[in-house]
Amino acid sequence: MREFVFTVEYDKGADEVMDLFIDNPDLHSKTMAVHATNESMWRLDRITGPTEVLEEFDAVVESVTLCNEVIGMCGAPVVEWNFETLSSTPNGRIVYSCREEGEGIQSIPYVAAKHIGDGLLMQAERRGNQYQWRLLIDDDDTVGEIYEEVDDGLSEGLSLSVQRISKPECWLEEGFDSDDLPPEQQAALEAAVEFGYYETP
C-alpha cells in the first residue's frame, strides 16, 4: 500500500467554513472516520479550538448546511447536507455529517471512491488555509487519475499540491484525548508528537 498525501489550499473568501480556519489559527479539524460512495459521503470530525471560535463555527456550519446554493470544492452542487453535533465541550466538538452532491466534478471523497472503490481509506485535516488529505492506495496509476480529476475541477480560489506518495506513515491515534486542553497546549503537544519528542530513543 502507498500513502498519497495532498493539500488543497484556500484563498480567503473562497469558502465560508474555511475562512474560519484561516482567521483562527487555533481552530483545527481532523477526521475520526470518513467514508464515501459514488452517491454520498459521511464522516465524523473532531474539531478543537477556543470556545468563542467553536461557537462561531457552530453558527456558520448550521447556516451553510441550510443554504440551497452550496457548491462542493470541485464545483458540483450540494443537493443534501445533514449535520449533527454528537459531542460538545468548551474546547471541542465531534460532528457527524452526511452529504450528497449533484452532477459535475464532485469533491475529493467522491473522486477517490470512484477510482479506488471498495476498501477506500481516507483521513483529512484542516488548519489555517490548508485542507490536507491522506489516501491509502495500492495502485500508482490511481494516484494520477485522482490528482488530475481533482486538480481539473477545483473551484476558483483553491489550489492543489502533493506532499508525498510513499510508504504509509502512522495512521493510529496517539492514544490520548486532548479535547479539553487549551488550544496553545494542544498545538504544543501535536508539535511534540510530530517531531518525535515521545519516540523511544
Side-chain angles (χ1 to χ4, degrees):
M1 298 293 288
R2 307 264 281 171
E3 180 183 49
F4 179 28
V5 183
F6 57 95
T7 299
V8 177
E9 294 190 2
Y10 285 70
D11 291 344
K12 183 69 182 296
D15 181 271
E16 190 172 359
V17 176
M18 284 301 295
D19 281 350
L20 272 179
F21 288 88
I22 294 171
D23 292 338
N24 300 279
D26 290 332
L27 187 62
H28 175 238
S29 172
K30 187 173 184 179
T31 55
M32 301 173 67
V34 54
H35 303 281
T37 67
N38 291 333
E39 298 179 352
S40 61
M41 178 267 292
W42 57 103
R43 58 192 288 170
L44 280 177
D45 286 277
R46 183 190 302 273
I47 300 99
T48 57
T51 301
E52 63 276 10
V53 177
L54 288 174
E55 291 173 352
E56 187 177 358
F57 174 87
D58 294 339
V60 168
V61 172
E62 182 176 359
S63 172
V64 169
T65 55
L66 294 175
C67 178
N68 293 324
E69 299 180 356
V70 176
I71 300 298
M73 66 175 62
C74 291
V78 176
V79 296
E80 185 173 352
W81 193 352
N82 297 313
F83 170 90
E84 181 179 352
T85 300
L86 303 182
S87 174
S88 177
T89 67
N91 294 115
R93 303 284 190 273
I94 294 178
V95 173
Y96 166 83
S97 62
C98 180
R99 195 164 97 171
E100 296 182 16
E101 295 184 5
E103 295 183 359
I105 299 179
Q106 297 176 317
S107 297
I108 288 168
Y110 298 92
V111 175
K114 180 172 73 174
H115 290 284
I116 297 175
D118 294 341
L120 170 62
L121 292 174
M122 296 179 284
Q123 289 182 344
E125 190 167 2
R126 286 178 284 181
R127 192 193 295 274
N129 72 331
Q130 297 187 340
Y131 201 153
Q132 186 176 85
W133 292 82
R134 296 183 180 197
L135 309 179
L136 281 182
I137 295 177
D138 61 2
D139 180 359
D140 285 352
D141 290 339
T142 304
V143 170
E145 294 168 356
I146 293 173
Y147 176 87
E148 289 179 7
E149 185 164 345
V150 172
D151 191 48
D152 289 345
L154 282 179
S155 300
E156 185 177 354
L158 280 63
S159 59
L160 180 66
S161 62
V162 174
Q163 277 64 61
R164 63 179 176 274
I165 304 169
S166 64
K167 181 179 178 180
E169 295 187 353
C170 182
W171 277 52
L172 300 176
E173 295 293 334
E174 282 75 22
F176 51 79
D177 189 342
S178 58
D179 265 2
D180 294 324
L181 289 175
E184 297 82 3
Q185 292 183 19
Q186 180 178 329
L189 189 58
E190 290 174 353
V193 171
E194 180 179 351
F195 288 98
Y197 183 82
Y198 297 106
E199 293 179 359
T200 302

